[in-house]
Amino acid sequence: MRKLLQVPLLLGDPASSRGDGSDSSLSDSEESVFSGLEDSGSDSSEDNSDDNEGEDEISHNKGPSRTEEASEGQAQTGSPGLRTEMARASSWDEYQEDSSDEEDIRNTVGNVPLEWYDDFPHVGYDLDGRRIYKPLRTQDELDQFLDKMDDPDFWRTVQDRMTGRDLRLTDEQVALVRRLQSGQFGDMGFNPYEPAVDFFSGDVMIHPVTNRPADKRSFIPSLVEKEKVSRMVHAIKMGWIQPRRPRDPTPSFYDLWAQEDPNAVLGRHRMHVPAPKLALPGHAESYNPPPEYLFSEEERLAWVQQEPGERKLNFLPQKFPSLRAVPAYSRFIQERFERCLDLYLCPRQRKMRVSVDPEDLIPKLPRPRDLQPFPTCQALVYRGHSDLVRCLSVSPGGQWLASGSDDGSLRLWEVATARCMKTVPVGGVVRSVAWNPNPTICLVAAALDDTVLLLNPALGDRLLVGSTDQLLGAFTPPEEPALQPAHWLEASEEEHQQGLRLRICHSKPVTQVTWHGRGDYLAVVLATPGHTQVLIHQLSRRRSQSPFHRSHGQVQCVAFHPTRPFLLVASQRSVRVYHLLRQELTKKLMPNCKWVSSMAVHPVGDNIICGSYDSKLVWFDLDLSTKPYKVLRHHKKALRAVAFHPRYPLFASGSDDGTIIVCHGMVYNDLLQNPLLVPVKVLKGHTLTRDLGVLDVAFHPTQPWIFSSGADGTIRLFT
């Protein structure tokens, strides 16, 4: 190209020298213009697109016009040397050094992805650094469709991604694309099936291909192969490698099910269960049965009237003189058909037994020696009652013990020595005894028939005894006595000498009495149907009230919550928790027992245990559910009493089987951890009397000791 552009200069073209004042030598930009590298859409950023197109046309026509003018002038000159040089220049092809593989370098952006120019009006830069603007595309789809219909060459028009302009493919390019699409080679002159040149002939030549001397290993025995052979010989000697036996040409026939274990599960049907076999025939099926197997006329009529499914025999026994006289069985085909129906219609399933080690089913509990202290042996026996001891109670300090018996007496004992300090004859069966839990009040409540007696035992500190009497004597009766479900009566002088201070009279027999934790209220249970089964008495104001307006069954026992204003009422089948301040039912616990006999509340107040007459001990977690957390069935007979220890994680149950079972019951502060219940000791000592064993149990308030009263008339201390 450069040669062609320099031709007019060598010839001294006057048109080129007189032009627009430019230098005789061309600049790089002019070279690019004449060489055809300038893009038709490029120009300075200040000009509009219309001016750009006009200038592009001018710049394209500059180079050829100069050369044409120069060649015409020189031809007119008529110089033979110059004509020869012009002929050489005109015959020189400007594209002979051009390569079709070279890409169009009018856009000089290099390896920059063209997606980066999507948001810009230009698509790159030319050699002079000027922007190559994208062509304006204002056509919508309708205009494109019209162009497609009008332009016969629309199908061969593609868009140049480097410049953004539309290019029209030539026939050669379309043919190249079609060849490539059909899987052919791009070059039409390439023959993929040219005959192969056999470089190595099959004839034996005089000279070898390589004249290298043979290796030494080609004629010396190999040590590696010798070692392999020795190993194989050793394996054959040891019997590890068996020689191939000659095949027997005779065909072999074998049984498919010869190796089938009849007891194994079939491979094709994992749940296969073999069909039950038919029962063997008995004497009734005989053609000559004994006379007792033959039906009488009444039995035959009864057999005919019965339903087919209710008959013991599905045929009538018959007697024949000989086996020849036996006819064909008429129901043979029908019975075979029913048997086949039973075989394939009866659903049979194999119950998969889980092979579990019985030791794994036993929970991993800690050893009892790690859960000490707890009572293990009998230490003292308190003798004095002549009849069964129904109830007992321990003083808050743990020094004194009160017991009530069927012999009509209330006895007060010293715990450490088992000495009876005082006997109070009450003249009736003492069904319940409760020592006031307040350590500043020395009072004992005893339930006797339809009366609750409040006694001052006058044991221990005299100041405490005097302050209790002052507390009771400070009451002033109201001017207008209110109507109450119970009557408060002062004790007489003679009863005052025996320790009796107050008498609360009811209309029905009292079965239980229990104190509130602060010692001012006590609740009693009456053996009467209706809503007046539970009464609450206030000691300081000598008032009585019935908290319920409706009955929910026979009440067995009640208990106050140790920390919250709750009253727990146990009926035969349920335990109800009432909020005393809101006067509403908070929770209803279902022990799943036939008859609840006793109840105890954990010192923290979140757990309850209930004993029942069907020998169950039920543990409730109030925060967990209204269903039992654990049901313990360690006793063989009815449970009479249950109790929690105030300080240690222990609870116990007494039963009619004469035993006391002490359990470790750890309640954790972490609400996500369930209580740990472990039976630790079975205490025996009481003898059964009138089929009754242990009637009441109570823990010592400070020591891991337990008291029990039994039907044998004794009280026993286990330490």
Side-chain angles (χ1 to χ4, degrees):
M1 288 292 240
R2 191 177 296 272
K3 285 181 182 178
L4 181 63
L5 295 175
Q6 287 178 355
V7 167
L9 302 179
L10 292 174
L11 300 180
D13 183 16
S16 63
S17 60
R18 72 169 191 265
D20 50 356
S22 59
D23 297 335
S24 61
S25 63
L26 295 174
S27 64
D28 291 339
S29 61
E30 289 171 340
E31 272 189 39
S32 65
V33 170
F34 292 133
S35 62
L37 297 182
E38 184 67 29
D39 185 29
S40 60
S42 66
D43 205 337
S44 60
S45 59
E46 294 83 14
D47 300 336
N48 54 22
S49 58
D50 297 331
D51 298 333
N52 291 343
E53 292 177 5
E55 292 181 3
D56 291 340
E57 295 176 1
I58 297 172
S59 63
H60 269 287
N61 297 330
K62 269 182 186 176
S65 62
R66 288 186 179 181
T67 51
E68 288 171 5
E69 292 173 0
S71 57
E72 289 174 1
Q74 297 299 334
Q76 292 173 2
T77 309
S79 173
L82 291 177
R83 287 178 181 171
T84 306
E85 201 165 333
M86 272 300 300
R88 289 178 188 170
S90 61
S91 64
W92 183 80
D93 187 6
E94 59 176 314
Y95 294 109
Q96 69 178 3
E97 294 184 4
D98 188 19
S99 175
S100 63
D101 293 337
E102 292 180 5
E103 59 177 335
D104 192 359
I105 56 172
R106 281 177 291 181
N107 192 353
T108 59
V109 292
N111 291 329
V112 176
L114 293 178
E115 290 83 3
W116 292 4
Y117 289 96
D118 287 346
D119 298 333
F120 293 97
H122 59 285
V123 76
Y125 300 90
D126 59 3
L127 290 174
D128 294 333
R130 289 178 294 190
R131 296 180 181 178
I132 301 176
Y133 283 92
K134 301 176 184 176
L136 292 177
R137 296 188 178 272
T138 58
Q139 292 182 336
D140 54 4
E141 293 185 1
L142 184 59
D143 296 336
Q144 293 179 1
F145 177 75
L146 294 177
D147 292 346
K148 179 179 178 180
M149 293 293 104
D150 297 339
D151 189 5
D153 294 333
F154 184 83
W155 61 275
R156 63 167 69 199
T157 304
V158 296
Q159 183 182 359
D160 187 3
R161 296 183 65 234
M162 295 294 290
T163 60
R165 294 200 167 273
D166 294 336
L167 298 178
R168 180 180 172 278
L169 298 180
T170 61
D171 295 340
E172 293 80 5
Q173 292 172 337
V174 172
L176 175 63
V177 170
R178 286 178 175 172
R179 282 198 303 274
L180 293 178
Q181 285 180 344
S182 60
Q184 300 177 6
F185 289 95
D187 188 6
M188 292 182 64
F190 180 75
N191 183 15
Y193 306 107
E194 291 182 354
V197 179
D198 190 7
F199 295 101
F200 298 95
S201 65
D203 302 334
V204 179
M205 300 294 180
I206 301 174
H207 302 286
V209 178
T210 59
N211 201 15
R212 193 166 62 90
D215 291 328
K216 185 179 180 181
R217 62 173 177 267
S218 64
F219 52 86
I220 291 180
S222 172
L223 295 178
V224 177
E225 292 180 357
K226 178 183 177 183
E227 186 177 356
K228 287 183 180 180
V229 171
S230 64
R231 287 180 183 173
M232 295 174 69
V233 170
H234 178 65
I236 293 174
K237 287 181 179 179
M238 297 298 293
W240 299 337
I241 298 178
Q242 297 291 339
R244 293 182 180 176
R245 296 191 179 98
R247 292 185 177 181
D248 189 7
T250 60
S252 59
F253 303 99
Y254 54 92
D255 187 4
L256 278 174
W257 295 276
Q259 306 296 327
E260 187 75 34
D261 186 5
N263 298 322
V265 179
L266 292 179
R268 63 182 177 275
H269 185 24
R270 296 290 179 184
M271 301 300 293
H272 172 74
V273 177
K277 295 183 179 180
L278 285 174
L280 296 176
H283 293 295
E285 282 91 341
S286 173
Y287 74 95
N288 188 15
E292 60 266 18
Y293 287 94
L294 296 174
F295 282 8
S296 63
E297 189 64 26
E298 293 147 359
E299 291 176 342
R300 191 183 68 81
L301 291 175
W303 183 85
V304 171
Q305 292 174 0
Q306 279 183 333
E307 293 290 333
E310 298 176 356
R311 297 170 181 169
K312 291 184 179 179
L313 296 175
N314 57 355
F315 64 95
L316 281 172
Q318 292 178 342
K319 187 174 184 179
F320 298 95
S322 65
L323 194 57
R324 289 182 185 177
V326 178
Y329 185 42
S330 60
R331 297 186 71 251
F332 176 76
I333 296 179
Q334 186 178 358
E335 285 191 358
R336 293 294 96 188
F337 177 67
E338 291 176 355
R339 169 73 174 169
C340 293
L341 285 182
D342 292 342
L343 287 180
Y344 95 92
L345 288 179
C346 177
R348 296 189 299 274
Q349 184 177 8
R350 182 186 299 273
K351 290 186 177 180
M352 304 302 291
R353 291 187 60 187
V354 183
S355 57
V356 179
D357 187 7
E359 297 295 330
D360 296 340
L361 300 178
I362 302 175
K364 300 294 183 289
L365 298 177
R367 294 181 298 176
R369 69 174 66 179
D370 300 333
L371 304 176
Q372 290 178 344
F374 53 84
T376 55
C377 59
Q378 179 177 304
L380 292 174
V381 180
Y382 303 80
R383 301 185 186 274
H385 287 290
S386 59
D387 205 343
L388 54 88
V389 183
R390 288 189 176 273
C391 51
L392 54 88
S393 181
V394 192
S395 65
Q399 186 179 2
W400 314 106
L401 176 69
S403 63
S405 172
D406 279 12
D407 58 3
S409 65
L410 177 72
R411 288 179 179 263
L412 300 170
W413 312 81
E414 187 179 14
V415 170
T417 60
R419 184 163 61 117
C420 182
M421 304 298 295
K422 198 171 186 179
T423 302
V424 181
V426 293
V429 176
V430 181
R431 297 190 175 275
S432 180
V433 171
W435 207 296
N436 195 313
N438 193 342
T440 61
I441 300 176
C442 185
L443 270 182
V444 176
L448 169 73
D449 294 335
D450 59 351
T451 308
V452 175
L453 305 179
L454 298 179
L455 299 97
N456 188 346
L459 297 174
D461 192 357
R462 292 182 180 179
L463 294 176
L464 185 60
V465 173
S467 64
T468 302
D469 288 340
Q470 288 181 4
L471 177 65
L472 295 177
F475 172 72
T476 56
E479 296 178 357
E480 296 181 0
L483 184 63
Q484 301 187 53
H487 302 288
W488 295 70
L489 300 177
E490 292 280 352
S492 61
E493 286 294 330
E494 184 179 348
E495 294 172 340
H496 199 279
Q497 294 295 328
Q498 295 179 353
L500 185 61
R501 296 295 183 264
L502 285 172
R503 188 189 295 267
I504 309 174
C505 299
H506 304 81
S507 59
K508 296 292 180 179
V510 181
T511 59
Q512 187 208 1
V513 59
T514 180
W515 287 94
H516 188 266
R518 296 182 180 177
D520 192 25
Y521 291 89
L522 72 156
V524 296
V525 178
L526 305 180
T528 175
H531 65 277
T532 58
Q533 296 182 74
V534 181
L535 297 180
I536 296 178
H537 306 299
Q538 186 178 6
L539 180 63
S540 59
R541 302 174 64 180
R542 297 189 187 179
R543 289 198 315 173
S544 302
Q545 57 180 337
S546 175
F548 303 115
H549 298 288
R550 192 172 55 175
S551 172
H552 292 283
Q554 185 66 34
V555 177
Q556 302 298 310
C557 55
V558 297
F560 286 102
H561 196 279
T563 56
R564 304 180 68 181
F566 289 162
L567 179 66
L568 294 93
V569 180
S571 61
Q572 290 184 5
R573 293 295 186 93
S574 63
V575 178
R576 299 172 183 268
V577 183
Y578 293 96
H579 199 293
L580 294 176
L581 296 181
R582 298 178 187 168
Q583 298 180 0
E584 63 182 9
L585 176 65
T586 303
K587 200 169 287 188
K588 181 182 178 182
L589 310 177
M590 303 303 296
N592 294 333
C593 300
K594 293 182 180 179
W595 197 306
V596 176
S597 62
S598 53
M599 176 177 58
V601 188
H602 193 269
V604 180
D606 290 337
N607 296 273
I608 298 173
I609 55 174
C610 296
S612 66
Y613 289 120
D614 52 352
S615 66
K616 293 180 185 177
L617 188 144
V618 182
W619 179 292
F620 283 101
D621 191 340
L622 295 181
D623 296 333
L624 191 63
S625 172
T626 59
K627 303 289 180 63
Y629 164 65
K630 279 288 173 64
V631 178
L632 307 179
R633 296 179 177 87
H634 300 138
H635 288 285
K636 298 178 181 178
K637 291 188 178 181
L639 272 74
R640 294 285 175 178
V642 292
F644 273 109
H645 197 286
R647 292 191 179 182
Y648 292 95
L650 297 174
F651 66 95
S653 58
S655 172
D656 280 344
D657 57 6
T659 60
I660 304 153
I661 296 183
V662 181
C663 301
H664 176 88
M666 173 60 76
V667 178
Y668 300 95
N669 292 328
D670 186 8
L671 296 179
L672 298 178
Q673 194 168 3
N674 293 328
L676 175 65
L677 310 181
V678 183
V680 291
K681 189 65 179 177
V682 179
L683 303 174
K684 300 179 180 179
H686 290 278
T687 58
L688 298 183
T689 306
R690 291 179 260 173
D691 284 337
L692 297 176
V694 179
L695 299 179
D696 199 5
V697 293
F699 278 101
H700 193 277
T702 57
Q703 300 293 331
W705 302 345
I706 189 170
F707 301 90
S708 66
S709 63
D712 55 357
T714 61
I715 302 170
R716 299 174 187 266
L717 170 64
F718 297 90
T719 61

